[in-house]
Amino acid sequence: MSTLTFQGAVGEVTGSRYLIEVDGDGGAHRLLLECGLHQGGGDADAANARPFGALAGQLEAVVLSHGHLDHSGLLPKLVREGYRGPIHCTRGTRDLLDIMLRDAAFVMAKDIEWENKWRKRNGKPPVEPLYELEDVERTLALCESHGYGQPVNLPGGTTLVFRDAGHILGSAIVELGIPSGGQIKRLVFSGDLGNPGSVLMKDPEKVFDADLVLMESTYGDRDHRPLDETLEEFARVLAEAHADGGNVLIPAFAVGRTQEILYHLSVLYHEGRLRQQMVFLDSPMAIRVTELYHRARKSLDSEDLKVLNIAASGDTSRYLPILRLTRTVEESMAINRIHGGAIIIAGAGMCTGGRIVHHFRYNLEKPNTRLVIVGFQAAGTLGRQLVDGAERVRVLGQDLAVKARVHTIGGFSAHAGQTQLIGWAGAFRNGPRFYLVHGEPGTQQVLKAALAESSIEAEVPAYGDRIEI
């Protein structure tokens, strides 16, 4: 019998990883589904540092649902430790990996440089990065991209098909046909399912046949607010910030969320409802991803692009005329001379580093500042502290009083909410086994109970659990 072992994103949202051992074609074959980075706190650092060991040399293929780092961010570490097989993904994912993994290696190198300076001063041994740029280069060379719906043959007689997950550019639902016990068993992994109410992406595809389903549960305990209500709240916060003379800080998730926020700012601008005169996109990675989205606009929802009349021509000169792209450190630092009237979108999305923390130093202690949280904040992150109402936070070695008003606007989520997850699960015929992944424990229990009310039985696996396929 073929088996699946849960090696990540169980009892947590990040660190996606599942080992599939296929009993087919005359022997055992090992495949890895996802290779994600753990995010949030010291436990995550320890989990990321854990060696792959012999597995790196035993694996014959890696399959990736999409490019977010919690699904892909340890790929270069796997390659650094000896993996040399193919990495199967979509074209959009391959293009995003080119941006995101290079950025991750760059940020890691900077962090390690500062860490080792501190260690040298304190008589401690230096530490090594998880991976370096040359590991990223080798990783990208192993990527093999495939279109949605295109069958792919994998080792052990396994077959692979990607379906559109509607989450970010290139995101996919993964369908695997796996030999097991003399039969072909169908395993479906949802990846991150998109929110049909969000803009730019197409709706997630429904899948009807499976024996085993791994389903994400990030927002399994609730539905998102309707988009029109979300946009009204967003517009109101921006108007209040303008009236108070303060800046608006928006921590940027470089892939997906930033492009969606820019879209909505553009709509508000053209409706005459955006009072601010300056919008800064202060994240080199988010700038590169935004440019990639522009080049790949044929993959986006054409109805959304028609709103701004750019679907056919690709002309973005009128998209958001007040947008300024700040690529250099000097341009980023210059923003801090602006004491009000600006919207600053800056990385990182969970406030764990990047340029947003520098803007915190200049803005977080001002009562007229608005901090707008537009994405999930993992436990242990600075973003989560702020969402949970921390009155003081530690930023770049400084203790800051949080006097800014913090607004959490969840309706922008690119993840399916509870009703959409149940609807997607309900499309499967013949009652496959469901396992809930990518969710915090309380959230998963709520979704499990909600699924049971729809006669869908689901299990919540633990780290290291091994099941037959």
Side-chain angles (χ1 to χ4, degrees), residues 7-9 12 14-15 17 36-40 44-45 47-48 70 74:
Q7 296 190 339
E12 62 173 324
T14 66
R17 193 162 95 208
L37 195 72
H38 297 265
Q39 295 169 313
D45 292 341
N48 290 330
D70 60 324
L74 285 185

Side-chain angles (χ1 to χ4, degrees), residues 103 250 252 258 262 278-288 290-291 322-338 342-347 354-356 358-359:
D103 183 83
I250 305 178
T258 289
L262 289 174
M278 293 169 287
V279 175
F280 294 96
L281 180 53
D282 190 28
S283 164
M285 182 167 72
I287 292 169
R288 292 194 293 274
T290 301
E291 292 168 341
I322 60 173
L323 178 63
R324 303 290 179 265
L325 306 179
T326 53
R327 300 176 192 269
T328 68
V329 172
E330 292 75 19
E331 289 171 324
S332 177
M333 292 172 63
I335 298 172
N336 291 319
R337 295 198 290 267
I338 300 171
I343 298 171
I344 304 164
I345 306 169
R355 294 182 178 182
I356 192 67
H358 293 276
H359 296 301

Side-chain angles (χ1 to χ4, degrees), residues 92-316:
T93 295
R94 168 61 178 79
D95 290 343
L96 283 174
L97 291 177
D98 199 348
I99 297 171
M100 299 183 72
L101 294 180
R102 291 180 193 277
D103 183 83
F106 175 79
V107 171
M108 201 178 301
K110 289 291 185 185
D111 289 346
I112 290 291
E113 182 182 345
W114 281 102
E115 171 79 4
N116 284 336
K117 284 180 180 178
W118 178 87
R119 285 175 165 270
K120 186 175 182 180
R121 287 196 303 268
N122 289 273
K124 296 181 180 293
V127 292
E128 291 278 320
L130 294 177
Y131 50 83
E132 297 172 295
L133 188 57
E134 62 185 27
D135 303 308
V136 172
E137 298 285 1
R138 287 200 295 267
T139 301
L140 295 171
L142 296 175
C143 288
E144 297 183 8
S145 59
H146 313 283
Y148 293 127
Q150 175 186 340
V152 181
N153 293 320
L154 301 182
T158 297
T159 57
L160 161 69
V161 177
F162 290 121
R163 308 287 182 191
D164 193 346
H167 176 59
I168 61 170
L169 184 68
S171 61
I173 297 160
V174 178
E175 287 187 54
L176 293 170
I178 302 172
S180 184
Q183 298 177 294
I184 298 297
K185 296 296 183 73
R186 184 167 297 188
L187 184 155
V188 174
F189 172 49
S190 68
D192 284 354
L193 288 174
N195 177 1
S198 62
V199 297
L200 298 178
M201 294 295 106
K202 298 173 182 176
D203 289 353
E205 288 188 51
K206 291 277 178 68
V207 184
F208 301 101
D209 296 304
D211 297 289
L212 173 65
V213 179
L214 308 183
M215 187 171 77
E216 69 120 321
S217 53
T218 310
Y219 289 98
D221 60 346
R222 59 194 183 276
D223 284 332
H224 304 303
R225 292 174 62 193
L227 184 59
D228 56 351
E229 291 181 18
T230 299
L231 291 176
E232 285 306 310
E233 181 184 3
F234 187 44
R236 185 170 63 252
V237 170
L238 297 179
E240 289 173 358
H242 181 266
D244 285 353
N247 290 324
V248 178
L249 304 183
I250 305 178
F253 290 85
V255 182
R257 192 60 42 81
T258 289
Q259 293 72 42
E260 186 177 4
I261 293 299
L262 289 174
Y263 177 92
H264 292 305
L265 289 173
S266 179
V267 171
L268 290 172
Y269 175 87
H270 290 291
E271 290 176 348
R273 301 176 63 194
L274 188 62
R275 303 294 302 278
Q276 281 83 359
Q277 295 302 305
M278 293 169 287
V279 175
F280 294 96
L281 180 53
D282 190 28
S283 164
M285 182 167 72
I287 292 169
R288 292 194 293 274
V289 173
T290 301
E291 292 168 341
L292 172 60
Y293 267 59
H294 171 56
R295 294 194 300 274
R297 59 190 176 278
K298 289 182 180 178
S299 301
L300 306 180
D301 190 319
S302 59
E303 294 302 312
D304 289 333
L305 296 183
K306 282 178 185 175
V307 173
L308 299 170
N309 298 317
I310 65 169
S313 67
D315 178 17
T316 57

